[in-house]
Amino acid sequence: MKNKIKAFLQRIINWIKKNKIKSAIAFLLLLIYYFSIPRMLFKEPYSTVIESKEGELLGAKIARDGQWRFPAQDSVPDKFKKCIVYFEDEYFYNHPGFNPGAMINAFKQNRKAGKVVRGGSTLTQQVIRLSRKGKNRTYFEKIIEIILATRLELGYSKNEILEMYASTCSIWGKCCGIRNGFVALFWRSVQSIILGRKCSFGSFTECAKFNLSWKKSN
């Protein structure tokens, strides 16, 4: 086994010596790829939050950019994980950051409609898109999202990516993240919300919108 590994490494060294320019370009591209994700993916300001010793929310002040954005939670409740994954990215735990099948289906639908009606993005790609605000939804931008999504998958666990999404996704209006959305809707913590049949009305964010309209009508 050791001899095979040595022989393999020797072949790589020989190839590098024979193809110095290609090797240098490949090394440069790998370097760019490695540093393509900043250490702090999201730099938006947070809301000021006041809590009791027991962790109950007492008060909050909107962030400087006019958004309700609470500091990220250490963990996301399992029920919300299941809900998010089921409606937003069914194969989240099996793909490397992008889903070729979903992208092909989205391309076919967009071509048929003559415009972009579906993105086919994974949760990882959505995290990248949320961090790259103001970018147009083009196929070139989609390629960049795919590359950055694979890099994000290499640097973070699936649970960490879910936590990023849950902390930054738009729930409704000026609320970002599940914690903000459900506090705004119910003035209760995420952990205390029981999903039950609410998730049958659509995706996770649509669940929040449904509850908001129900609350206003009652």
Side-chain angles (χ1 to χ4, degrees), residues 162-194:
L162 269 180
E163 288 167 13
M164 289 181 196
Y165 178 80
S167 299
T168 55
C169 65
S170 178
I171 300 297
W172 60 274
K174 294 186 176 183
C175 289
C176 300
I178 59 172
R179 186 184 178 191
N180 311 344
F182 278 94
V183 165
L185 290 172
F186 306 103
W187 200 252
R188 294 167 65 188
S189 65
V190 175
Q191 285 82 355
S192 65
I193 300 295
I194 300 175

Side-chain angles (χ1 to χ4, degrees), residues 90-101:
E90 189 176 357
Y91 301 100
F92 175 70
Y93 291 104
N94 301 315
H95 62 63
F98 66 99
N99 186 337

Side-chain angles (χ1 to χ4, degrees), residues 34-43 151-152 155-156 164:
Y34 181 81
F35 290 103
S36 59
I37 297 293
R39 289 187 177 181
M40 185 178 288
L41 200 59
F42 296 94
K43 298 180 180 179
R151 177 65 186 88
L152 191 66
Y156 296 88
M164 289 181 196

Side-chain angles (χ1 to χ4, degrees), residues 126-188:
Q126 291 183 52
V127 170
I128 293 298
R129 188 187 308 129
L130 288 168
S131 71
R132 291 169 57 82
K133 290 183 177 181
K135 302 294 182 181
N136 296 325
R137 294 185 65 184
T138 63
Y139 287 112
F140 178 72
E141 179 62 23
K142 180 68 70 176
I143 292 171
I144 294 175
E145 284 179 10
I146 291 171
I147 295 171
L148 295 179
T150 59
R151 177 65 186 88
L152 191 66
E153 290 272 352
L154 289 174
Y156 296 88
S157 68
K158 291 288 187 178
N159 283 335
E160 287 175 324
I161 293 171
L162 269 180
E163 288 167 13
M164 289 181 196
Y165 178 80
S167 299
T168 55
C169 65
S170 178
I171 300 297
W172 60 274
K174 294 186 176 183
C175 289
C176 300
I178 59 172
R179 186 184 178 191
N180 311 344
F182 278 94
V183 165
L185 290 172
F186 306 103
W187 200 252
R188 294 167 65 188

